[in-house]
CSV table of all heavy atoms in Angstrom, one decimal:
chain,number,residue,atom,x,y,z
D,1,ILE,N,75.3,-24.2,-3.7
D,1,ILE,CA,74.4,-23.7,-2.6
D,1,ILE,C,73.9,-22.3,-2.9
D,1,ILE,O,72.7,-22.1,-2.7
D,1,ILE,CB,75.2,-23.8,-1.2
D,1,ILE,CG1,75.4,-25.2,-0.8
D,1,ILE,CG2,74.4,-23.0,-0.2
D,1,ILE,CD1,76.3,-25.4,0.5
D,2,ILE,N,74.7,-21.5,-3.4
D,2,ILE,CA,74.3,-20.1,-3.8
D,2,ILE,C,73.2,-20.2,-4.9
D,2,ILE,O,72.2,-19.5,-4.8
D,2,ILE,CB,75.5,-19.3,-4.3
D,2,ILE,CG1,76.5,-19.0,-3.2
D,2,ILE,CG2,75.0,-18.0,-4.9
D,2,ILE,CD1,77.8,-18.4,-3.6
D,3,LEU,N,73.4,-21.1,-5.9
D,3,LEU,CA,72.5,-21.2,-7.0
D,3,LEU,C,71.1,-21.8,-6.4
D,3,LEU,O,70.1,-21.2,-6.7
D,3,LEU,CB,73.0,-22.2,-8.0
D,3,LEU,CG,72.1,-22.6,-9.2
D,3,LEU,CD1,71.6,-21.4,-10.0
D,3,LEU,CD2,72.7,-23.6,-10.0
D,4,VAL,N,71.2,-22.9,-5.8
D,4,VAL,CA,70.0,-23.6,-5.3
D,4,VAL,C,69.3,-22.7,-4.2
D,4,VAL,O,68.1,-22.6,-4.2
D,4,VAL,CB,70.3,-25.0,-4.8
D,4,VAL,CG1,69.0,-25.6,-4.2
D,4,VAL,CG2,70.8,-25.8,-6.0
D,5,GLY,N,70.2,-22.2,-3.3
D,5,GLY,CA,69.6,-21.4,-2.2
D,5,GLY,C,68.9,-20.1,-2.7
D,5,GLY,O,67.8,-19.8,-2.1
D,6,GLY,N,69.4,-19.5,-3.7
D,6,GLY,CA,68.8,-18.3,-4.2
D,6,GLY,C,67.5,-18.6,-4.9
D,6,GLY,O,66.5,-17.9,-4.6
D,7,ILE,N,67.4,-19.7,-5.7
D,7,ILE,CA,66.1,-20.1,-6.3
D,7,ILE,C,65.1,-20.4,-5.3
D,7,ILE,O,64.0,-20.0,-5.4
D,7,ILE,CB,66.4,-21.3,-7.3
D,7,ILE,CG1,67.2,-20.8,-8.5
D,7,ILE,CG2,65.0,-21.8,-7.7
D,7,ILE,CD1,67.5,-22.0,-9.4
D,8,THR,N,65.5,-21.1,-4.3
D,8,THR,CA,64.6,-21.6,-3.2
D,8,THR,C,64.1,-20.4,-2.4
D,8,THR,O,62.9,-20.3,-2.2
D,8,THR,CB,65.3,-22.5,-2.2
D,8,THR,OG1,65.8,-23.7,-2.9
D,8,THR,CG2,64.3,-23.0,-1.1
D,9,PHE,N,64.9,-19.4,-2.1
D,9,PHE,CA,64.5,-18.3,-1.3
D,9,PHE,C,63.5,-17.4,-2.1
D,9,PHE,O,62.5,-17.1,-1.5
D,9,PHE,CB,65.8,-17.4,-0.9
D,9,PHE,CG,65.4,-16.1,-0.3
D,9,PHE,CD1,65.0,-16.1,1.0
D,9,PHE,CD2,65.5,-14.9,-1.0
D,9,PHE,CE1,64.7,-14.9,1.7
D,9,PHE,CE2,65.1,-13.7,-0.4
D,9,PHE,CZ,64.7,-13.7,0.9
D,10,PHE,N,63.8,-17.1,-3.3
D,10,PHE,CA,63.0,-16.3,-4.1
D,10,PHE,C,61.7,-17.0,-4.5
D,10,PHE,O,60.6,-16.4,-4.7
D,10,PHE,CB,63.7,-15.7,-5.3
D,10,PHE,CG,64.7,-14.6,-4.9
D,10,PHE,CD1,66.1,-14.9,-5.2
D,10,PHE,CD2,64.4,-13.5,-4.3
D,10,PHE,CE1,67.0,-14.0,-4.8
D,10,PHE,CE2,65.4,-12.5,-3.9
D,10,PHE,CZ,66.7,-12.8,-4.2
D,11,TRP,N,61.8,-18.3,-4.7
D,11,TRP,CA,60.6,-19.1,-5.0
D,11,TRP,C,59.6,-19.0,-3.9
D,11,TRP,O,58.4,-18.9,-4.1
D,11,TRP,CB,61.1,-20.6,-5.2
D,11,TRP,CG,60.0,-21.6,-5.4
D,11,TRP,CD1,59.1,-22.1,-4.5
D,11,TRP,CD2,59.8,-22.3,-6.6
D,11,TRP,NE1,58.3,-23.0,-5.1
D,11,TRP,CE2,58.7,-23.2,-6.4
D,11,TRP,CE3,60.3,-22.3,-7.9
D,11,TRP,CZ2,58.2,-24.1,-7.3
D,11,TRP,CZ3,59.8,-23.1,-8.9
D,11,TRP,CH2,58.8,-24.0,-8.6
D,12,LEU,N,60.1,-19.1,-2.6
D,12,LEU,CA,59.2,-19.0,-1.5
D,12,LEU,C,58.7,-17.6,-1.3
D,12,LEU,O,57.5,-17.4,-1.0
D,12,LEU,CB,60.0,-19.4,-0.2
D,12,LEU,CG,60.4,-20.9,-0.1
D,12,LEU,CD1,61.3,-21.2,1.1
D,12,LEU,CD2,59.2,-21.8,-0.1
D,13,LEU,N,59.5,-16.6,-1.6
D,13,LEU,CA,59.1,-15.2,-1.4
D,13,LEU,C,58.0,-14.9,-2.5
D,13,LEU,O,57.1,-14.1,-2.2
D,13,LEU,CB,60.3,-14.3,-1.7
D,13,LEU,CG,60.2,-12.8,-1.2
D,13,LEU,CD1,59.9,-12.7,0.3
D,13,LEU,CD2,61.5,-12.0,-1.6
D,14,GLU,N,58.1,-15.5,-3.6
D,14,GLU,CA,57.0,-15.2,-4.6
D,14,GLU,C,55.7,-15.7,-4.1
D,14,GLU,O,54.7,-15.1,-4.6
D,14,GLU,CB,57.4,-16.0,-5.9
D,14,GLU,CG,58.5,-15.4,-6.7
D,14,GLU,CD,59.0,-16.3,-7.9
D,14,GLU,OE1,58.7,-17.5,-7.9
D,14,GLU,OE2,59.6,-15.8,-8.8
D,15,GLY,N,55.6,-16.6,-3.2
D,15,GLY,CA,54.4,-17.1,-2.7
D,15,GLY,C,53.7,-16.1,-1.7
D,15,GLY,O,52.5,-16.1,-1.5
D,16,THR,N,54.5,-15.2,-1.2
D,16,THR,CA,54.0,-14.2,-0.2
D,16,THR,C,53.9,-12.8,-0.7
D,16,THR,O,53.1,-12.1,-0.2
D,16,THR,CB,54.9,-14.3,1.1
D,16,THR,OG1,56.3,-13.9,0.8
D,16,THR,CG2,54.9,-15.6,1.8
D,17,LEU,N,54.8,-12.5,-1.7
D,17,LEU,CA,54.8,-11.1,-2.2
D,17,LEU,C,54.6,-11.2,-3.7
D,17,LEU,O,55.5,-10.6,-4.5
D,17,LEU,CB,56.0,-10.4,-1.8
D,17,LEU,CG,56.3,-10.1,-0.4
D,17,LEU,CD1,57.7,-9.6,-0.2
D,17,LEU,CD2,55.2,-9.1,0.2
D,18,PRO,N,53.6,-11.8,-4.3
D,18,PRO,CA,53.6,-11.9,-5.8
D,18,PRO,C,53.2,-10.6,-6.5
D,18,PRO,O,52.4,-9.9,-6.0
D,18,PRO,CB,52.5,-13.0,-6.0
D,18,PRO,CG,51.6,-12.8,-4.8
D,18,PRO,CD,52.5,-12.4,-3.7
D,19,LEU,N,53.9,-10.4,-7.6
D,19,LEU,CA,53.6,-9.3,-8.5
D,19,LEU,C,52.4,-9.6,-9.3
D,19,LEU,O,51.4,-8.9,-9.3
D,19,LEU,CB,54.8,-8.9,-9.4
D,19,LEU,CG,54.5,-7.9,-10.5
D,19,LEU,CD1,54.1,-6.6,-9.8
D,19,LEU,CD2,55.7,-7.7,-11.4
D,20,PHE,N,52.4,-10.8,-9.9
D,20,PHE,CA,51.2,-11.3,-10.7
D,20,PHE,C,50.7,-12.6,-10.1
D,20,PHE,O,51.6,-13.5,-9.7
D,20,PHE,CB,51.6,-11.5,-12.2
D,20,PHE,CG,51.9,-10.3,-12.9
D,20,PHE,CD1,53.2,-10.0,-13.4
D,20,PHE,CD2,51.0,-9.3,-13.1
D,20,PHE,CE1,53.6,-8.9,-14.1
D,20,PHE,CE2,51.3,-8.1,-13.8
D,20,PHE,CZ,52.6,-7.9,-14.3
D,21,ASN,N,49.5,-12.8,-9.9
D,21,ASN,CA,48.9,-14.0,-9.4
D,21,ASN,C,48.7,-15.0,-10.6
D,21,ASN,O,47.6,-15.1,-11.1
D,21,ASN,CB,47.6,-13.8,-8.7
D,21,ASN,CG,47.8,-13.0,-7.3
D,21,ASN,OD1,48.6,-13.5,-6.5
D,21,ASN,ND2,47.1,-11.9,-7.2
D,22,PHE,N,49.8,-15.6,-11.1
D,22,PHE,CA,49.7,-16.4,-12.2
D,22,PHE,C,48.8,-17.6,-11.9
D,22,PHE,O,48.8,-18.2,-10.9
D,22,PHE,CB,51.1,-17.0,-12.6
D,22,PHE,CG,52.1,-15.9,-13.1
D,22,PHE,CD1,53.3,-15.8,-12.6
D,22,PHE,CD2,51.6,-15.0,-14.1
D,22,PHE,CE1,54.2,-14.9,-13.1
D,22,PHE,CE2,52.5,-14.0,-14.5
D,22,PHE,CZ,53.8,-14.0,-14.1
D,23,LYS,N,48.0,-18.0,-12.9
D,23,LYS,CA,47.2,-19.2,-12.9
D,23,LYS,C,48.0,-20.3,-13.6
D,23,LYS,O,47.8,-20.6,-14.8
D,23,LYS,CB,45.8,-19.0,-13.5
D,23,LYS,CG,45.1,-17.8,-12.9
D,23,LYS,CD,44.7,-18.0,-11.4
D,23,LYS,CE,44.0,-16.8,-10.9
D,23,LYS,NZ,43.8,-16.8,-9.4
D,24,TYR,N,48.9,-20.9,-12.9
D,24,TYR,CA,49.8,-21.9,-13.5
D,24,TYR,C,50.2,-22.9,-12.5
D,24,TYR,O,50.2,-22.6,-11.3
D,24,TYR,CB,51.0,-21.2,-14.2
D,24,TYR,CG,52.0,-20.7,-13.3
D,24,TYR,CD1,53.4,-20.7,-13.8
D,24,TYR,CD2,51.8,-20.1,-12.1
D,24,TYR,CE1,54.4,-20.2,-13.0
D,24,TYR,CE2,52.8,-19.5,-11.3
D,24,TYR,CZ,54.1,-19.6,-11.8
D,24,TYR,OH,55.1,-19.1,-11.0
D,25,LYS,N,50.7,-24.0,-13.0
D,25,LYS,CA,51.3,-25.0,-12.1
D,25,LYS,C,52.8,-24.7,-12.0
D,25,LYS,O,53.6,-24.9,-13.0
D,25,LYS,CB,51.1,-26.4,-12.7
D,25,LYS,CG,49.7,-26.8,-12.7
D,25,LYS,CD,49.5,-28.3,-13.3
D,25,LYS,CE,48.0,-28.7,-13.3
D,25,LYS,NZ,47.8,-30.0,-13.9
D,26,LYS,N,53.2,-24.2,-10.8
D,26,LYS,CA,54.5,-23.6,-10.7
D,26,LYS,C,55.6,-24.6,-11.0
D,26,LYS,O,56.6,-24.3,-11.7
D,26,LYS,CB,54.6,-23.1,-9.3
D,26,LYS,CG,55.7,-22.1,-9.0
D,26,LYS,CD,55.6,-21.5,-7.7
D,26,LYS,CE,56.8,-20.6,-7.3
D,26,LYS,NZ,56.7,-19.3,-8.0
D,27,TRP,N,55.5,-25.8,-10.6
D,27,TRP,CA,56.5,-26.8,-10.8
D,27,TRP,C,56.6,-27.2,-12.3
D,27,TRP,O,57.7,-27.3,-12.9
D,27,TRP,CB,56.3,-28.1,-10.0
D,27,TRP,CG,56.9,-28.1,-8.7
D,27,TRP,CD1,56.3,-27.9,-7.5
D,27,TRP,CD2,58.3,-28.1,-8.4
D,27,TRP,NE1,57.2,-27.9,-6.5
D,27,TRP,CE2,58.5,-28.0,-7.0
D,27,TRP,CE3,59.4,-28.3,-9.2
D,27,TRP,CZ2,59.7,-28.0,-6.4
D,27,TRP,CZ3,60.7,-28.2,-8.6
D,27,TRP,CH2,60.8,-28.1,-7.2
D,28,LYS,N,55.4,-27.3,-13.0
D,28,LYS,CA,55.4,-27.6,-14.4
D,28,LYS,C,56.0,-26.5,-15.2
D,28,LYS,O,56.8,-26.8,-16.2
D,28,LYS,CB,54.0,-27.8,-14.9
D,28,LYS,CG,53.8,-28.2,-16.4
D,28,LYS,CD,52.4,-28.4,-16.8
D,28,LYS,CE,52.3,-28.9,-18.2
D,28,LYS,NZ,50.9,-29.1,-18.7
D,29,HIS,N,55.8,-25.3,-14.8
D,29,HIS,CA,56.4,-24.1,-15.5
D,29,HIS,C,57.9,-24.1,-15.3
D,29,HIS,O,58.7,-23.7,-16.1
D,29,HIS,CB,55.8,-22.8,-14.9
D,29,HIS,CG,56.6,-21.6,-15.3
D,29,HIS,ND1,57.5,-21.0,-14.5
D,29,HIS,CD2,56.6,-20.8,-16.5
D,29,HIS,CE1,58.0,-20.0,-15.0
D,29,HIS,NE2,57.5,-19.8,-16.2
D,30,ALA,N,58.4,-24.6,-14.1
D,30,ALA,CA,59.8,-24.5,-13.8
D,30,ALA,C,60.6,-25.6,-14.5
D,30,ALA,O,61.8,-25.4,-14.7
D,30,ALA,CB,60.0,-24.7,-12.2
D,31,VAL,N,60.0,-26.6,-15.0
D,31,VAL,CA,60.7,-27.7,-15.6
D,31,VAL,C,61.7,-27.3,-16.7
D,31,VAL,O,62.9,-27.6,-16.7
D,31,VAL,CB,59.8,-28.9,-16.0
D,31,VAL,CG1,60.5,-29.9,-16.9
D,31,VAL,CG2,59.2,-29.6,-14.8
D,32,PRO,N,61.1,-26.6,-17.8
D,32,PRO,CA,62.1,-26.2,-18.9
D,32,PRO,C,63.1,-25.3,-18.4
D,32,PRO,O,64.3,-25.3,-18.8
D,32,PRO,CB,61.2,-25.6,-19.9
D,32,PRO,CG,59.9,-25.3,-19.2
D,32,PRO,CD,59.8,-26.3,-18.1
D,33,ASN,N,62.7,-24.4,-17.5
D,33,ASN,CA,63.7,-23.3,-17.0
D,33,ASN,C,64.8,-24.0,-16.1
D,33,ASN,O,65.9,-23.6,-16.3
D,33,ASN,CB,62.9,-22.3,-16.1
D,33,ASN,CG,61.9,-21.5,-16.9
D,33,ASN,OD1,61.9,-21.6,-18.1
D,33,ASN,ND2,61.1,-20.7,-16.3
D,34,LEU,N,64.5,-25.0,-15.3
D,34,LEU,CA,65.5,-25.7,-14.6
D,34,LEU,C,66.4,-26.5,-15.5
D,34,LEU,O,67.5,-26.7,-15.2
D,34,LEU,CB,64.8,-26.5,-13.5
D,34,LEU,CG,64.1,-25.7,-12.4
D,34,LEU,CD1,63.5,-26.7,-11.4
D,34,LEU,CD2,65.1,-24.8,-11.7
D,35,PHE,N,65.8,-27.1,-16.6
D,35,PHE,CA,66.5,-27.8,-17.5
D,35,PHE,C,67.6,-26.9,-18.1
D,35,PHE,O,68.8,-27.3,-18.3
D,35,PHE,CB,65.6,-28.4,-18.7
D,35,PHE,CG,66.4,-28.9,-19.8
D,35,PHE,CD1,66.9,-30.2,-19.8
D,35,PHE,CD2,66.6,-28.1,-21.0
D,35,PHE,CE1,67.6,-30.7,-20.9
D,35,PHE,CE2,67.3,-28.6,-22.1
D,35,PHE,CZ,67.8,-29.9,-22.0
D,36,PHE,N,67.2,-25.7,-18.5
D,36,PHE,CA,68.2,-24.8,-19.2
D,36,PHE,C,69.2,-24.2,-18.1
D,36,PHE,O,70.3,-23.9,-18.4
D,36,PHE,CB,67.5,-23.7,-19.9
D,36,PHE,CG,66.9,-24.1,-21.2
D,36,PHE,CD1,65.5,-24.1,-21.3
D,36,PHE,CD2,67.7,-24.5,-22.2
D,36,PHE,CE1,64.9,-24.6,-22.5
D,36,PHE,CE2,67.1,-25.0,-23.4
D,36,PHE,CZ,65.8,-25.0,-23.6
D,37,THR,N,68.8,-24.2,-16.9
D,37,THR,CA,69.7,-23.8,-15.8
D,37,THR,C,70.8,-24.9,-15.7
D,37,THR,O,72.0,-24.6,-15.6
D,37,THR,CB,69.0,-23.7,-14.4
D,37,THR,OG1,68.0,-22.7,-14.5
D,37,THR,CG2,70.0,-23.4,-13.3
D,38,LEU,N,70.4,-26.2,-15.8
D,38,LEU,CA,71.4,-27.3,-15.7
D,38,LEU,C,72.3,-27.2,-17.0
D,38,LEU,O,73.5,-27.4,-16.8
D,38,LEU,CB,70.6,-28.6,-15.7
D,38,LEU,CG,71.4,-29.9,-15.7
D,38,LEU,CD1,72.3,-29.9,-14.4
D,38,LEU,CD2,70.6,-31.1,-15.7
D,39,THR,N,71.8,-27.0,-18.1
D,39,THR,CA,72.7,-26.9,-19.3
D,39,THR,C,73.6,-25.8,-19.2
D,39,THR,O,74.8,-25.8,-19.6
D,39,THR,CB,71.9,-26.8,-20.7
D,39,THR,OG1,71.1,-25.6,-20.6
D,39,THR,CG2,70.9,-28.0,-20.8
D,40,THR,N,73.2,-24.7,-18.6
D,40,THR,CA,74.1,-23.5,-18.4
D,40,THR,C,75.2,-23.9,-17.5
D,40,THR,O,76.4,-23.5,-17.7
D,40,THR,CB,73.3,-22.3,-17.8
D,40,THR,OG1,72.3,-21.9,-18.7
D,40,THR,CG2,74.2,-21.1,-17.5
D,41,VAL,N,74.9,-24.6,-16.4
D,41,VAL,CA,75.9,-25.0,-15.4
D,41,VAL,C,76.9,-26.0,-16.1
D,41,VAL,O,78.1,-25.9,-16.0
D,41,VAL,CB,75.2,-25.8,-14.2
D,41,VAL,CG1,76.3,-26.5,-13.4
D,41,VAL,CG2,74.5,-24.8,-13.4
């Protein structure tokens, strides 16, 4: 819950307080990162 909750909270916060307005598909970008999160776990 700490892992998933943290990602979810900051994921949502990024939508309201972005540092950079990336021109990207957020979910597509997340796929490899979440894959490596899973391997880390």
Side-chain angles (χ1 to χ4, degrees):
I1 290 172
I2 293 171
L3 171 63
V4 176
I7 291 176
T8 303
F9 174 76
F10 291 116
W11 176 289
L12 294 173
L13 194 61
E14 288 174 338
T16 57
L17 295 171
L19 173 59
F20 295 113
N21 291 307
F22 293 135
K23 305 299 180 185
Y24 73 146
K25 294 180 180 179
K26 200 172 174 75
W27 272 108
K28 183 178 180 181
H29 166 263
V31 168
N33 295 353
L34 294 178
F35 169 81
F36 286 113
T37 298
L38 180 60
T39 61
T40 298
V41 170

